[in-house]
Amino acid sequence: MSKEIIKIEDLTREFIMGAETVRALRGISFTINEGEFVTIMGSSGSGKSTLLNILGCLDQPTSGIYEIDGVKMKDLSKNQLATIRNEKIGFIFQSYNLLARTSALENVELPLFYNSKVSSEERRERAIKAIEMVGLKDRMDHTPSQLSGGQQQRVAIARSLVNNPVMILADEATGNLDTRTAYEIMSIFQELNKQGITIIFVTHEPDIATFSNRTIVLKDGNIIQDKLNQKVQSASAELAKLPKEEH
Amino acid sequence: MRLINLLKIAFKAIVLNKTRTLLTMLGIIIGVASVIAMLAIGEGSKESIRETISSMGSNMITIRPGADNRGPARGSGGDVQTLTLKDYEKIKQEATLLSYITPVVNGGGQVINGSNNWPSTIYGVNPEYLNIKVVDLQSGSMFTDAEVKSASKVALIGQTVVDNVFPDGQDPVGQMIRFDNIPFKVIGVLEEKGENTFGQDQDDVVIAPYTTVQKRILAIDYLNQIMASAISEDDAPDAVTQVTEILRSQHKLMDSDDDDFHVRSMEELISTFSSTSEMLTILLVAVASISLLIGGIGIMNIMYVSVKERTKEIGLRMAVGGKGSDILMQFLIEAILISITGGILGVILGLGATVFIEKFLNWPTSVALYSIVISFAVCAITGIFFGWYPARKASSLDPITALRYE
Ligand SMILES: Nc1ncnc2c1ncn2[C@@H]1O[C@H](COP(=O)(O)OP(=O)(O)O)[C@@H](O)[C@H]1O
Ligand SMILES: [Mg+2]
């Protein structure tokens, strides 16, 4: 693969809980190249979310180096980090984190409000395009409470890709969904990956990992495995194999 | 970030959080409106008292015989006979700060016209009396100095007397009436003045030359009082001092002697009553301040609680690329919009309530500009500060900490 986009070195994250210190990440290192589709696996509490939050510039490591495109995140101001989150990263939360009582379309528009390069007409246009891409065009006026879990997850995906990010980070984006919906969403990610977007996908389901080209496994804050996937499955092909359901 | 975007976001958030918006506004509206209405009542009653008193002649100075014995109405000064025409002439001659002066003798009696009779009070004065009391005539004319000199039996009567002794509506001017069996020719009718602040009917009077009243009706050679008016309201206190000095020397009082008369200006009366209504205003201000405080605490609570609730929202906005300053601006704009709208509604409600009180409860009101400014400012500043401060705290967190906030 081509250019290195993410580099972490000896990254640690500790949480101080009263007298106790929880060591969620104990010094991990890896690099990710542009265009890779990486799944991060591991049992509950192994540090997956903690790692992804740091990669998404939502949290700061206790020690170690984190670089995007060769720039050390430690050296950036809060405002510069906000710009990176806005322009380079699309983040998908396990719990969706949509604004309540706000339409799907407006939820998708949100990141563009914070991008002064985007005019209001362009904002609307791009949001509609993103929502079309996740197959929710006929639901874009619905509020989160009027949408199913899978549909809310799609809104969150549309929001993550609306600002044309270079990477999308997803934290158990299929965790709450049935197999069929999960595969549908994986096929969207594979599609995005084909367009060149780097994807880092946290999951604890081994079948989801078969759709990525690389899997990193965490255990108790350490990397215990980091291997390339020789035989990447196509999510849309797998989807076709599933028994048809009535909807 | 573009201001227009921020305005859009803030406006959406206001509409989205209807309950919060309404509750906050309610605190502001009630705070502002109650302060305006209460101060309007206080100012209104103060003004109305001041008005009645000045309609009685705010330059007026009264000189009564006997030691100063302030208190409720003491009638004509009792039997003290220390005030005489000589005193009146001396003051008239020497006092420089007075524009008008008249001797006053008065007594009660029956006004009779044929079969109609009515108990009233007759005031014996000189023509300057009208200028001192600031009374005009409805019809007829005032008696002249010559008529005073000759002790003519002419009189002017007030509307109440007219109503009671001329019930048929005939013109009293030119008619004869009798006061305690002395015939008087009515030469004029006084302008209607109604009741004064103390509930006294100012139209229940008969006015006649003091010479006539002194000799024919009362048979006395002293005066019940002397009335005068100072050149201006500001000169009234000095005029009081001047008159006091003239009378002390006239009465040959030693330095150690107390005055055997007392001189009072309307100013003193005004300040006595103003201080009473001042008390009322202070009371109302206190009540208004408490409602402002309660309104303020309400605003503070709702803003604070709702921002805490919205910490997750702040986390999300930061996660998708909102800068701390963007989020702070959004909350500030929200708080300003809510506070200003609430403030304006509060002013409208306060003015409406004031009109209602004036129209339907018949209380005098007067809206003070300062009450609008102060209440508006206090509520708006409280609203804005407590919208901004918790948001500032939340927006300084790492996005993930704000998002995890429970
Ligand atoms: N904010 C936090 N405060 C304290 N401990 C935390 C916090 N976040 C995560 N942890 C701890 O760090 C460890 C890793 O958590 P996490 O990254 O959420 O695991 P995973 O996502 O793999 O299930 C867990 O032991 C968890 O309790
Ligand atoms: Mg997790």
Side-chain angles (χ1 to χ4, degrees):
Chain A
M1 292 252 163
S2 51
K3 194 180 133 217
E4 189 179 287
I5 182 167
I6 280 177
K7 178 179 173 186
I8 58 172
E9 236 177 73
D10 206 16
L11 205 70
T12 71
R13 179 66 167 106
E14 292 170 1
F15 295 103
I16 295 167
M17 307 281 291
E20 226 182 305
T21 303
V22 180
R23 299 175 66 199
L25 297 176
R26 300 174 185 239
I28 59 174
S29 311
F30 58 69
T31 59
I32 293 174
N33 288 333
E34 216 167 47
E36 275 195 282
F37 190 148
V38 182
T39 42
I40 296 175
M41 295 198 55
S43 55
S44 182
S46 56
K48 305 184 295 292
S49 294
T50 305
L51 174 61
L52 202 69
N53 291 337
I54 292 171
L55 294 179
C57 298
L58 301 173
D59 195 10
Q60 306 280 346
T62 307
S63 70
I65 294 170
Y66 173 30
E67 288 178 12
I68 297 178
D69 291 333
V71 178
K72 289 192 174 66
M73 292 301 109
K74 200 171 66 200
D75 299 337
L76 299 184
S77 70
K78 282 195 165 191
N79 282 353
Q80 288 169 316
L81 287 174
T83 305
I84 288 190
R85 288 195 296 268
N86 186 249
E87 294 177 0
K88 291 204 165 171
I89 301 172
F91 202 99
I92 301 164
F93 300 92
Q94 183 171 4
S95 49
Y96 323 133
N97 280 328
L98 301 176
L99 285 179
R101 286 161 292 159
T102 303
S103 74
L105 185 64
E106 285 179 317
N107 263 293
V108 174
E109 278 184 318
L110 193 63
L112 299 180
F113 267 107
Y114 296 101
N115 184 345
S116 51
K117 291 170 219 146
V118 179
S119 72
S120 62
E121 303 86 57
E122 195 187 344
R123 180 171 67 229
R124 181 76 11 142
E125 245 168 61
R126 275 165 69 169
I128 291 173
K129 229 176 90 191
I131 237 168
E132 269 171 2
M133 196 167 168
V134 297
L136 269 185
K137 191 167 188 243
D138 51 339
R139 297 285 157 85
M140 66 188 189
D141 295 327
H142 292 212
T143 62
S145 62
Q146 298 165 334
L147 297 171
S148 71
Q151 289 168 332
Q152 290 183 55
Q153 193 61 279
R154 284 164 198 257
V155 176
I157 293 169
R159 183 180 65 195
S160 76
L161 53 89
V162 73
N163 209 8
N164 302 329
V166 291
M167 56 173 143
I168 291 179
L169 311 181
D171 193 356
E172 310 216 16
T174 56
N176 303 328
L177 308 177
D178 58 86
T179 314
R180 184 170 196 88
T181 318
Y183 283 15
E184 277 168 12
I185 283 175
M186 286 320 289
S187 69
I188 296 172
F189 280 108
Q190 284 191 327
E191 183 58 37
L192 292 168
N193 184 238
K194 264 193 209 125
Q195 294 168 16
I197 299 175
T198 308
I199 292 172
I200 303 172
F201 197 101
V202 165
T203 182
H204 58 252
E205 297 155 282
D207 56 329
I208 295 292
T210 61
F211 301 127
S212 70
N213 64 354
R214 179 178 169 192
T215 304
I216 296 171
V217 183
L218 290 183
K219 189 177 185 226
D220 296 333
N222 288 308
I223 294 177
I224 55 165
Q225 193 188 68
D226 184 351
K227 67 159 206 277
L228 290 178
N229 186 357
Q230 304 306 331
K231 216 176 93 203
V232 181
Q233 309 266 17
S234 159
S236 50
E238 290 302 306
L239 190 61
K241 281 188 216 157
L242 285 176
K244 281 255 174 341
E245 273 177 71
E246 282 156 61
H247 268 297
Chain B
M1 174 156 185
R2 294 178 183 183
L3 187 65
I4 183 91
N5 281 359
L6 273 176
L7 280 170
K8 272 185 199 163
I9 288 177
F11 191 75
K12 271 181 194 157
I14 287 174
V15 176
L16 221 59
N17 298 282
K18 282 190 203 76
T19 320
R20 177 187 68 107
T21 305
L22 276 173
L23 285 175
T24 312
M25 277 198 199
L26 211 62
I28 297 177
I29 291 170
I30 290 173
V32 171
S34 60
V35 170
I36 291 175
M38 279 186 222
L39 290 183
I41 294 172
E43 287 292 319
S45 58
K46 208 157 66 178
E47 233 165 63
S48 113
I49 288 170
R50 187 165 267 278
E51 249 165 46
T52 344
I53 292 178
S54 32
S55 78
M56 291 160 62
S58 55
N59 303 353
M60 198 165 90
I61 288 171
T62 57
I63 304 144
R64 287 171 188 270
D68 188 354
N69 218 341
R70 290 174 196 217
R74 291 175 63 245
S76 62
D79 287 309
V80 192
Q81 304 182 6
T82 51
L83 212 55
T84 65
L85 265 177
K86 284 220 168 61
D87 293 336
Y88 157 71
E89 275 151 16
K90 188 83 178 167
I91 296 167
K92 191 177 168 74
Q93 239 171 49
E94 292 186 4
T96 53
L97 295 172
L98 300 179
S99 46
Y100 303 107
I101 184 163
T102 176
V104 180
V105 285
N106 56 282
Q110 293 289 324
V111 186
I112 304 159
N113 172 33
S115 60
N116 301 308
N117 73 65
W118 176 250
S120 189
T121 310
I122 192 163
Y123 286 85
V125 296
N126 73 14
E128 291 182 13
Y129 176 82
L130 293 190
N131 303 99
I132 296 168
K133 291 283 274 186
V134 203
V135 203
D136 266 337
L137 299 183
Q138 284 184 42
S139 58
S141 56
M142 186 59 174
F143 48 79
T144 60
D145 284 325
E147 283 169 312
V148 172
K149 215 165 216 169
S150 61
S152 297
K153 285 178 270 184
V154 290
L156 294 92
I157 53 180
Q159 188 61 43
T160 306
V161 179
V162 174
D163 292 343
N164 286 287
V165 303
F166 294 99
D168 315 333
Q170 79 188 109
D171 183 6
V173 177
Q175 304 291 317
M176 295 301 290
I177 55 165
R178 287 144 71 88
F179 192 94
D180 279 3
N181 289 325
I182 312 293
F184 281 89
K185 185 181 176 194
V186 178
I187 58 167
V189 178
L190 300 174
E191 163 194 67
E192 248 187 292
K193 287 207 120 179
E195 284 186 3
N196 65 15
T197 329
F198 322 109
Q200 198 182 358
D201 183 356
Q202 300 177 87
D203 301 323
D204 189 7
V205 289
V206 177
I207 308 283
Y210 68 92
T211 44
T212 319
V213 177
Q214 235 183 353
K215 285 180 208 150
R216 313 267 173 179
I217 296 185
L218 302 173
I220 55 172
D221 55 6
Y222 58 87
L223 300 177
N224 295 115
Q225 55 175 304
I226 297 169
M227 276 187 186
S229 65
I231 306 173
S232 73
E233 209 176 313
D234 294 338
D235 285 318
D238 288 339
V240 169
T241 319
Q242 201 178 45
V243 168
T244 307
E245 274 161 15
I246 294 167
L247 275 182
R248 281 188 70 91
S249 85
Q250 171 77 3
H251 289 186
K252 302 193 169 58
L253 296 176
M254 313 287 278
D255 281 352
S256 57
D257 292 339
D258 288 333
D259 295 345
D260 58 354
F261 57 90
H262 58 271
V263 185
R264 274 226 239 177
S265 68
M266 260 321 185
E267 249 333 279
E268 286 176 65
L269 204 60
I270 291 175
S271 62
T272 312
F273 279 91
S274 298
S275 73
T276 317
S277 62
E278 206 75 64
M279 287 277 289
L280 177 73
T281 310
I282 289 171
L283 198 77
L284 289 171
V285 167
V287 175
S289 309
I290 289 168
S291 57
L292 205 55
L293 187 75
I294 291 171
I297 291 171
I299 297 163
M300 187 173 97
N301 267 317
I302 294 153
M303 285 300 218
Y304 199 83
V305 167
S306 75
V307 172
K308 289 222 154 195
E309 277 169 5
R310 291 174 71 194
T311 302
K312 255 184 130 86
E313 178 194 330
I314 290 177
L316 174 66
R317 289 183 183 280
M318 290 196 291
V320 299
K323 297 188 175 75
S325 57
D326 294 339
I327 282 139
L328 206 52
M329 271 303 272
Q330 174 200 334
F331 277 76
L332 199 59
I333 292 171
E334 275 183 45
I336 289 172
L337 285 178
I338 292 176
S339 304
I340 303 266
T341 313
I344 290 171
L345 290 178
V347 170
I348 293 170
L349 185 70
L351 295 179
T354 306
V355 170
F356 180 87
I357 289 165
E358 172 108 44
K359 276 242 161 73
F360 295 98
L361 303 181
N362 272 323
W363 287 9
T365 59
S366 162
V367 175
L369 185 66
Y370 75 89
S371 70
I372 296 180
V373 174
I374 290 175
S375 60
F376 193 95
V378 169
C379 284
I381 290 169
T382 316
I384 292 166
F385 180 78
F386 287 99
W388 166 82
Y389 180 69
R392 200 185 79 122
K393 272 169 63 176
S395 63
S396 66
L397 300 172
D398 273 326
I400 198 71
T401 317
L403 265 172
R404 284 246 177 83
Y405 188 88
E406 292 305 333

